[in-house]
């Protein structure tokens, strides 16, 4: 049975993992006959957003691993516990947590840096040439791992696409139900809620992404 690592970034679209994207990912991995293990960095998240009002709660502070455990029903490991030989592929859902906690793209744009523990975690997959799927805003990290010319998508937002290309990537405009495949680097990306107006629309691209990632497993 193929085994997929799923990297989470908290719990909630505005300050962590996009919940629909993460659940749809886990569902599609299981439906495809594979199994998964969730991971998250053991770090403090950038800030806490009240998802009812959309306002930042300056009095609250939360841990990305602890919050991600909500999504994983407690079955989660810190990124430092990865044993790369046990996994065939990696998938990274989006949400603002990918741009605030996994890296600081939300603050620094094209000059963003990736959290060191997250960089080490993802690099083990890229160096082993194992397929990786990036969803929603998480593809903004692709060029830093694969270098100049790597193909990926965040959908059609021109500013985010420009930031992708400033890092050396080759951005491909894609519809909500499309995926972009870089066969050479074994990278798959899809816009999901960068464009989706409903969970049904988000599901279409995620389903394709999961299946393509699993097809790339050697």
């Amino acid at each position: 049975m193929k085994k997929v690592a799923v990297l989470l970034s908290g719990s909630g679209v505005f300050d962590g993992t996009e919940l629909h994207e993460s659940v749809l990912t886990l569902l599609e991995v299981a439906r495809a006959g594979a199994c998964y293990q969730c991971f998250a960095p053991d770090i403090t998240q950038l800030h806490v957003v009240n998802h009812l009002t959309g306002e930042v709660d300056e009095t609250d502070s939360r841990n990305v691993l602890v919050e991600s455990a909500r999504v994983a029903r407690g079955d989660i490991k810190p990124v430092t516990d990865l044993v790369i030989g046990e996994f065939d592929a990696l998938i990274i859902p989006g949400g603002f947590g990918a741009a605030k906690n996994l890296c600081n793209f939300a603050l620094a744009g094209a000059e963003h840096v990736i959290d060191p523990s997250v960089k080490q975690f993802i690099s083990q997959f890229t160096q082993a040439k194992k397929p990786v799927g990036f969803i929603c805003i998480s593809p903004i990290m692709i060029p830093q791992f694969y270098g100049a010319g790597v193909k990926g998508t965040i959908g059609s937002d021109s500013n985010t696409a420009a930031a992708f290309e400033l890092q050396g990537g080759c951005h491909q405009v894609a519809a909500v139900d499309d995926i972009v495949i870089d066969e050479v680097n074994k990278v798959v990306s899809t816009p999901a809620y960068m464009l989706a107006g409903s969970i049904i629309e988000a599901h279409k691209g995620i389903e394709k992404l999961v299946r393509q990632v699993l097809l790339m497993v050697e």
Side-chain angles (χ1 to χ4, degrees), residues 36-50:
Y36 59 79
Q37 173 64 57
C38 294
F39 289 88
D42 187 3
I43 57 176
T44 301
Q45 63 186 55
L46 176 64
H47 54 215
V48 179
V49 175
N50 181 325

Side-chain angles (χ1 to χ4, degrees), residues 2-7 29 34-37 39 82 84-92 121-122 125-126 128-133 186 209-210 212-218:
K2 296 174 183 177
K3 190 170 185 179
V4 179
V6 178
L7 178 59
V29 169
C35 63
Y36 59 79
Q37 173 64 57
F39 289 88
L82 174 68
I84 188 62
E86 296 180 354
F87 293 90
D88 299 296
L90 168 65
I91 298 177
I92 310 172
F121 177 83
I122 299 175
F125 288 90
T126 62
K129 302 189 183 305
K130 298 189 177 187
V132 183
K186 294 186 177 179
L209 178 140
V210 170
Q212 181 60 42
V213 166
L214 292 173
L215 282 173
M216 288 177 155
V217 172
E218 294 182 350

Side-chain angles (χ1 to χ4, degrees), residues 98-109:
K100 294 178 178 180
N101 303 326
L102 302 186
C103 70
N104 67 344
F105 175 75
L107 301 177

Side-chain angles (χ1 to χ4, degrees), residues 153 155-156 172-180 189-192 195-196 201 205:
T153 190
S156 57
Q172 310 286 299
V173 173
V176 66
D177 59 347
D178 284 341
I179 58 174
V180 168
S189 50
T190 192
L195 292 176
E201 290 186 349

Side-chain angles (χ1 to χ4, degrees), residues 183-200:
E183 295 279 2
V184 174
N185 292 296
K186 294 186 177 179
V187 183
V188 188
S189 50
T190 192
Y193 275 104
M194 288 293 287
L195 292 176
S198 70
I199 192 171
I200 293 174

